[in-house]
């Protein structure tokens, strides 16, 4: 059993921060251990409703977030049903109003373009009110700046910002990034992480054991 198992609040007396995996009920959302969400505006337990938007079971699109991610207040994940079809001559979503227009309810998904899952790696930090669009994959260790709009895949350990989000810099040099991706410290046991915590925090990768 992990520290984040069966527990909602990681900090005593702080109900604005939750272990996300323990407040999710939607089978199309998968969250890794220790990943946390902080919300000082709304109840963070309502993440699924307030932050995962236009996400309807009929599309079968999924939100997958890895371990040890930090998600700041108001970050949003915008899914397929937000994408009014651009194949159509009109952006008006006629298939949603199938009763009005004599269309078949089974064709309702024609109203939008399905861009697919949103996949977020491990140790990703998503800044305040960032927006992640459907179909995007964010690599391990990436940082999404405050109010960035992520429209394309983000490579591992890359800091991005702006609208649309563009790389600002890498978090580490290429050698260190390659070693981190090989180490995958987030899959270590809690005992090993605890034993190495000061070294992880110091940034001295050579001293990890
Ligand atoms: C993305 C971020 C981590 C970058 O930090 P940093 O690497 O120290 O960045 P700097 O302040 O040195 O800025 C580097 C460049 O990126 C730009 N930049 C920084 N943050 C940006 C953002 N959110 N959006 C767009 N551009 C940004 C700066 O203007 C600067 O541009 P320049 O090189 O043209 O001068 C930080 O700015 C940020 O947005 N943090 C999120 C904070 C947050 O939301 N916290 C929530 C609580 S957990």
């Amino acid at each position: 059993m992990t520290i984040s198992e069966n527990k909602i609040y990681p900090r005593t007396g702080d109900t604005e921060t939750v272990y996300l995996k323990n407040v999710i009920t939607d089978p199309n959302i998968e969250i890794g251990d220790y990943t946390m969400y902080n919300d000082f505006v709304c109840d963070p337990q309502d993440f699924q409703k307030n932050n995962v938007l236009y996400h309807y079971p009929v599309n079968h699109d999924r939100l997958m977030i890895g371990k040890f991610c930090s998600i700041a207040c108001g970050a949003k994940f915008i899914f397929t049903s937000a994408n009014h079809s651009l194949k159509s001559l009109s952006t008006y979503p006629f298939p949603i109003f199938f009763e009005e227009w004599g269309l078949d309810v089974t064709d309702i998904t024609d109203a939008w373009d399905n861009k697919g899952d949103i996949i977020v790696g491990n140790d990703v930090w998503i800044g305040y009110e960032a927006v992640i669009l459907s179909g995007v994959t964010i690599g391990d260790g990436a940082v999404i700046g405050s109010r960035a709009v992520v429209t394309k895949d983000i490579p591992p350990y890359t800091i991005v910002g702006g609208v649309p989000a563009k790389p600002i810099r890498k978090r580490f040099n290429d050698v260190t990034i390659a070693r981190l991706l090989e180490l995958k410290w987030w899959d270590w046991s809690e005992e090993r992480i605890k034993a190495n915590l000061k070294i992880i925090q110091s940034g001295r990768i050579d001293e990890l054991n």
Side-chain angles (χ1 to χ4, degrees):
M1 192 153 113
T2 66
I3 288 175
S4 61
E5 209 70 40
N6 303 324
K7 186 206 266 184
I8 290 180
Y9 301 115
R11 277 159 46 88
T12 307
D14 174 5
T15 55
E16 293 181 346
T17 306
V18 294
Y19 281 131
L20 207 42
K21 64 177 251 178
N22 298 329
V23 301
I24 298 295
T25 54
D26 182 338
N28 287 321
I29 303 179
E30 218 174 279
I31 312 283
D33 282 329
Y34 317 102
T35 284
M36 56 90 171
Y37 175 59
N38 170 265
D39 198 319
F40 45 83
V41 178
C42 303
D43 185 344
Q45 292 207 47
D46 291 336
F47 176 86
Q48 200 171 281
K49 172 170 160 273
N50 295 333
N51 304 72
V52 186
L53 309 181
Y54 307 97
H55 186 236
Y56 304 136
V58 68
N59 298 311
H60 308 291
D61 45 3
R62 292 172 305 161
L63 172 60
M64 324 259 279
I65 302 180
K67 299 180 188 173
F68 291 101
C69 293
S70 311
I71 304 176
C73 185
K76 303 271 198 289
F77 299 84
I78 303 211
F79 273 91
T80 284
S81 293
N83 305 324
H84 288 208
S85 179
L86 296 177
K87 294 188 212 98
S88 168
L89 297 180
S90 169
T91 55
Y92 190 84
F94 289 105
I96 292 174
F97 305 111
F98 56 92
E99 295 143 298
E100 304 285 84
W101 297 97
L103 296 171
D104 195 337
V105 63
T106 55
D107 292 334
I108 193 165
T109 55
D110 290 347
W112 43 77
D113 295 332
N114 191 337
K115 296 194 177 176
D117 301 341
I118 296 176
I119 299 171
V120 178
N122 304 281
D123 190 22
V124 172
W125 173 28
I126 300 181
Y128 175 76
E129 289 191 344
V131 172
I132 322 293
L133 297 183
S134 53
V136 158
T137 294
I138 299 176
D140 295 326
V143 176
I144 312 302
S146 173
R147 295 214 161 144
V149 176
V150 181
T151 61
K152 294 204 165 77
D153 292 356
I154 307 296
Y157 287 96
T158 305
I159 301 174
V160 301
V163 182
K166 300 275 188 221
I168 291 173
R169 62 184 175 89
K170 296 270 183 186
R171 275 178 62 192
F172 305 109
N173 65 39
D174 289 347
V175 174
T176 304
I177 291 174
R179 288 179 64 190
L180 283 164
L181 291 172
E182 202 182 311
L183 277 173
K184 295 187 189 300
W185 63 264
W186 43 83
D187 288 336
W188 292 357
S189 68
E190 282 176 5
E191 288 66 35
R192 190 171 174 199
I193 292 173
K194 272 184 186 166
N196 280 281
L197 211 43
K198 289 286 177 201
I199 303 168
I200 290 173
Q201 287 178 273
S202 75
R204 294 192 297 270
I205 194 167
D206 290 333
E207 293 174 21
L208 289 172
N209 46 61

